[in-house]
Amino acid sequence: MIIKMNTERLKKSVRNVPDFPIPGIQFKDVTTLFKAPDILHELSDGLYEMYRDKGITKVVGIESRGFIMGPLMASQLNAGFVPIRKPGKLPADVYEESYRKEYGTDTIQIHRDAISADDTVLLHDDLLATGGTMAAAVKLIRKFNPVKIYVNFLIELEDLKGRELFAPDIRVDSVICYPG
């Protein structure tokens, strides 16, 4: 999909932090995308344009960086916002999914009443690396049998092939892609 954003300008706004959180990792810090109002507006408007005609009724953000652009997209799309959180953070009955990630095992949860079968869901997170977190999030959302699921990332590390975890019925979009 062609995105009407200046991806080179956005790439220049991403901070690269070497050896974080462990030696050998080149961490892509998205917080630098949000500090300049013009970059934030370009990102917000561009994401709206990507999904404005998809019938999105719920935007689901994954803790914690998915909580930054997720509510902005939900507001622009006239949709609700739903958080996916780590265990012990949601006060009502939850579904949960455990998964393996680069540095161990983790679990995420969503309220059992957060999504309905009538919803069209846009799942959002900051980064697609190996894909474990978002694959677990898709499993959680599938429990609700929504009309359609879209997946969006601000950044994708293509050489880690996280995109391959998603079934063909899941549309995956990334704003900025790094080949290696």
Side-chain angles (χ1 to χ4, degrees):
M1 166 173 208
I2 297 173
I3 302 168
K4 297 177 183 178
M5 289 182 255
N6 183 336
T7 54
E8 287 308 311
R9 182 171 106 116
L10 295 174
K11 268 186 181 181
K12 288 178 184 175
S13 297
V14 174
R15 178 178 18 222
N16 190 50
V17 182
D19 299 319
F20 181 83
I22 60 172
I25 300 295
Q26 297 294 313
F27 185 81
K28 302 296 184 198
D29 180 9
V30 297
T31 64
T32 52
L33 287 170
F34 311 133
K35 70 181 183 178
D38 59 325
I39 299 288
L40 181 59
H41 285 289
E42 181 176 347
L43 202 56
S44 181
D45 292 345
L47 289 167
Y48 168 73
E49 286 299 319
M50 288 174 69
Y51 297 103
R52 68 184 173 95
D53 62 349
K54 304 297 185 241
I56 305 295
T57 57
K58 294 281 176 33
V59 176
V60 178
I62 299 176
E63 185 170 346
S64 68
R65 289 179 297 271
F67 293 179
I68 299 169
M69 293 306 298
L72 289 174
M73 286 191 290
S75 179
Q76 284 191 305
L77 293 167
N78 196 33
F81 177 76
V82 175
I84 285 182
R85 308 240 19 219
K86 294 178 182 172
K89 304 288 185 178
L90 296 172
D93 291 337
V94 297
Y95 289 123
E96 74 175 32
E97 191 69 38
S98 293
Y99 61 99
R100 297 175 73 123
K101 55 188 226 175
E102 301 93 299
Y103 318 114
T105 305
D106 215 341
T107 301
I108 54 176
Q109 298 179 332
I110 189 171
H111 277 135
R112 287 181 179 252
D113 62 356
I115 308 286
S116 76
D118 296 333
D119 282 320
T120 298
V121 176
L122 171 58
L123 268 163
H124 171 74
D125 204 4
D126 65 326
L127 182 89
L128 173 57
T130 58
T133 304
M134 187 60 81
V138 168
K139 286 181 184 176
L140 283 176
I141 299 304
R142 284 198 191 276
K143 292 179 183 197
F144 297 98
N145 296 310
V147 174
K148 176 87 176 135
I149 302 171
Y150 295 88
V151 170
N152 172 269
F153 300 95
L154 298 180
I155 295 173
E156 179 176 350
L157 306 177
E158 294 175 317
D159 63 330
L160 296 178
K161 303 187 186 309
R163 182 178 286 265
E164 294 176 3
L165 292 180
F166 304 101
D169 67 317
I170 303 291
R171 177 172 148 182
V172 178
D173 294 308
S174 300
V175 176
I176 302 168
C177 294
Y178 291 96

